[in-house]
Amino acid sequence: MTYPENPTENSTENSIENPFGTSITEADILAQIQQCQGWEQRYRQVIQWGKKLPTMPESLKAEQVLVAGCESQVWLVGQQVNGVWQFCADSDARIVRGLIALVLAVFNGKTSEQIQQFDVEGYFESLGLMQHLSPSRGNGLTAIVEQIQTLAVEQQ
């Protein structure tokens, strides 16, 4: 599923400023998470990133853009603009919003090829989060990544 037509128009509905992948990058995430002492501090940091994630407009939260395999509701849309992907995602759970932010930091602004080649497992391993997530949260996170990769392959 993609954004509605003409997403670059100055409409509030379609104009979503997302710092993840632009001003908050993979390197920023890794550096900040490595400064955290222990799981609790990492968990709080992930929630803080979730608070910075722009809220998805209600008009985009349709059933057809729900990510299957997530315990919480997760909506994901993406659009390729000038050869790179821009994603918008949201969730009804605070921790999941933070996990979405971690994913968008590495996939927003990337080409389909870069998305397919990115070592997601290595990234999650370096963050040290997966072993602390419940199996259902871990499966949901994987489902979000797989949905992004599927979109990137379909539109290649």
Side-chain angles (χ1 to χ4, degrees):
M1 193 76 189
T2 59
Y3 291 107
E5 294 299 312
N6 302 319
T8 56
E9 289 181 355
N10 289 333
S11 154
T12 306
E13 198 78 84
N14 295 332
S15 177
I16 302 168
E17 290 296 318
N18 190 334
F20 294 96
T22 54
S23 60
I24 300 174
T25 65
E26 170 194 358
D28 298 325
I29 300 276
L30 288 170
Q32 200 154 2
I33 210 81
Q34 288 170 354
Q35 291 177 5
C36 294
Q37 307 264 320
W39 166 240
E40 264 186 53
Q41 202 173 31
R42 287 178 184 211
Y43 185 86
R44 282 194 298 270
Q45 181 57 57
V46 170
I47 297 231
Q48 289 303 310
W49 282 318
K51 289 179 180 179
K52 293 181 180 183
L53 186 70
T55 303
M56 177 184 270
E58 290 299 318
S59 63
L60 294 180
K61 291 182 180 179
E63 191 166 323
Q64 64 264 34
V65 300
L66 279 170
V67 178
C70 293
E71 186 175 295
S72 303
Q73 288 191 305
V74 175
W75 300 271
L76 173 70
V77 294
Q79 180 173 348
Q80 208 172 14
V81 179
N82 297 324
V84 297
W85 282 93
Q86 296 302 316
F87 296 98
C88 178
D90 206 349
S91 177
D92 59 351
R94 289 184 320 160
I95 186 64
V96 176
R97 282 181 55 81
L99 295 172
I100 290 168
L102 297 176
V103 171
L104 295 187
V106 297
F107 290 134
N108 258 341
K110 300 294 191 289
T111 65
S112 293
E113 185 177 339
Q114 289 171 315
I115 289 171
Q116 294 305 316
Q117 292 178 352
F118 185 76
D119 180 12
V120 177
E121 288 180 23
Y123 174 60
F124 289 150
E125 187 176 311
S126 65
L127 292 173
L129 297 176
M130 290 304 277
Q131 66 267 29
H132 297 287
L133 297 177
S134 68
S136 61
R137 287 278 188 253
N139 290 340
L141 186 58
T142 300
I144 294 165
V145 169
E146 288 173 354
Q147 182 69 29
I148 288 172
Q149 291 172 329
T150 298
L151 284 170
V153 166
E154 289 174 354
Q155 300 290 319
Q156 212 167 12

